[in-house]
């Protein structure tokens, strides 16, 4: 409202000034960003002067009249009617009133403007003071913060300085130690240098002393080197000769190796042919006596072909006992083979010819019926005593007659009379009872044998260890030599042609 009133007053003042006079004065007022300009009339120049009043702009409101020239105008002026003067006087009085009124108005306006300016100044001072206070507060807080940071930095700098001082002290100590060490080393070097000088002097003396000897030795060395070169040449010549000799020797060795290979191949071929001939011959042997006659004198396993048969049988040939040529039918020596078997096993045979075995009743039948055979029985008891029983004539019938026994012409050391069953005794096994006992002798005495009414012998009974003192009736038995309990360590039944 104040601003509006001021503007209105300024405008009115302007109108009045323009209406009253052309002289005016400008007043500038700055309030913050806004500036106000008041244009007020200069009252001193507005007093009613006749020249001024004539030149006043209000004069121009009435229409101008043509003035023929200056003399005419002066005449007219003097001859003007009195109403114009009256009007002018009225206007002057009115102007004076207006001027007074305007002076009052100006005074009023000036007072108002002054008070407003003072108010504005006070407000501005308050505002600026508040702003300054706020800025001061901010500056104080920032200053406190900076002070704190400065304190921290100062502390860090102090710590760093202390650390650096400690390190500097350590370095100083280390430097002192190094200096001491360097001093010692320098002293040592000096001492060694002295020693070196002394040694150099001695060396020079020695060189001078031994120079002559060295010269002599060098000449000797020269002579020896010449001798060595000569010897080396000689050795090279000898090596060349040796190389040629070695070459010749190598050629001879190769020829010898080739000849050896050829001889070995020929020998192998000869052996092969001999082996084939022997095999062919052995296959044609009927028993071990023929093999012995063919020149094979070692006891062992051979193959024979049974008479009137194509059957090849492996047998053990005893080439030592009483002239050799014996074909084994039965052999026991350690109890490794079970003799508690049935009819079929005794018929075909079991065990291996090289160990304990029974040749087989069918083979024994065919063999002992191809020609006349004698039977030889070897025995050894647990104490190592040996004895034998011999039969000049021996054979057995076929299976159709239960392999009946035929043995005659007894002799020997295993008892005064024969322990073998009487002629005609049939073969029995645990599953085939052919004896003359109401019992089953094969089950009582064990094994397969020519049991009569069980009889005085059974070489196929249980094999008991020699240390056993218990009397057993199912063991190996040859009654007329050792009673019912032989405890044999070895038994062997073997045949050979009677006319051997
Ligand atoms: Ca019976």
């Amino acid at each position: 409202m104040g601003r509006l009133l001021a503007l209105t007053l300024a405008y009115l003042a302007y109108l009045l000034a323009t209406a009253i006079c052309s002289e005016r004065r400008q007043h500038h007022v700055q309030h913050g960003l806004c500036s106000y300009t008041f244009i007020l009339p200069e009252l001193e120049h507005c007093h009613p002067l006749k020249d001024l009043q004539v030149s006043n702009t209000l004069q121009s409101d009435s229409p101008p009249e043509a003035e023929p020239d200056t003399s005419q105008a002066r005449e007219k002026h003097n001859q003007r009617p009195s109403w114009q003067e009256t009007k002018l006087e009225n206007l002057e009085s009115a102007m004076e009133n207006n001027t007074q009124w305007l002076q009052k108005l100006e005074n009023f306006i000036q007072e108002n403007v002054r008070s407003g300016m003072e108010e504005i100044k006070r407000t501005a001072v308050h505002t600026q003071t508040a702003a300054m206070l706020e800025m001061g507060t901010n500056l104080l807080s920032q200053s406190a913060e900076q002070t704190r940071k400065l304190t921290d930095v100062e502390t860090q700098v102090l710590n760093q300085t202390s650390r650096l001082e400690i390190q500097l002290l350590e370095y100083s100590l280390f430097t002192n130690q190094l200096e001491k060490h360097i001093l010692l080393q320098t002293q040592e070097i000096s001492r060694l240098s002295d020693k070196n000088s002394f040694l150099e002097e001695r060396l020079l003396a020695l060189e001078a002393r031994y120079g002559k000897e060295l010269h002599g030795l060098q000449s000797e060395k020269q002579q020896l080197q010449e001798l060595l070169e000569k010897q080396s040449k000689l050795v090279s010549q000898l090596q060349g000769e040796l190389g040629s000799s070695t070459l010749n020797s190598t050629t001879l060795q190769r020829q010898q190796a080739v000849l050896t290979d050829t001889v070995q191949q020929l020998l192998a071929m000869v052996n092969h042919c001999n082996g084939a001939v022997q095999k062919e011959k052995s296959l044609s042997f009927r028993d071990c006596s023929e093999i012995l006659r063919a020149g094979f004198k070692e006891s062992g396993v051979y193959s024979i072909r049974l008479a009137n048969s194509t059957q090849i049988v492996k047998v053990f040939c005893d080439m030592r006992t009483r002239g050799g040529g014996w074909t084994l039918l039965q052999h026991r020596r350690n109890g490794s083979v079970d003799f508690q078997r049935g009819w079929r096993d005794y018929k075909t045979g079991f065990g291996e010819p090289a160990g304990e075995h029974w040749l087989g009743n069918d083979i024994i039948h065919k063999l002992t019926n191809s020609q006349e055979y004698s039977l030889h029985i070897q025995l050894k008891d647990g104490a190592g005593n040996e004895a034998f029983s011999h039969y000049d004539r021996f054979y057995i019938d076929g299976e159709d007659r239960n392999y009946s026994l035929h043995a005659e012409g007894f002799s020997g050391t295993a008892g005064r009379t024969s322990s073998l069953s009487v002629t005609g005794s049939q073969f029995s096994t645990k599953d085939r009872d052919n004896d003359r006992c109401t019992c089953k002798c094969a089950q009582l005495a064990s094994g397969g044998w020519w049991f009569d009414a069980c009889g005085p012998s059974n070489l196929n009974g249980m094999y008991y260890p020699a240390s056993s003192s218990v009397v057993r009736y199912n063991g190996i038995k040859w009654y007329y030599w050792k009673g019912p309990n032989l405890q044999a360590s070895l038994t062997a039944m073997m045949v050979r042609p009677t006319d051997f």
Side-chain angles (χ1 to χ4, degrees), residues 426 428 433-442 451-454:
Q426 296 182 3
S428 292
D433 179 21
N434 297 317
D435 56 37
R436 283 197 280 261
C437 178
T438 54
C439 65
K440 293 182 177 178
C441 295
F451 295 107
D452 183 17
C454 293

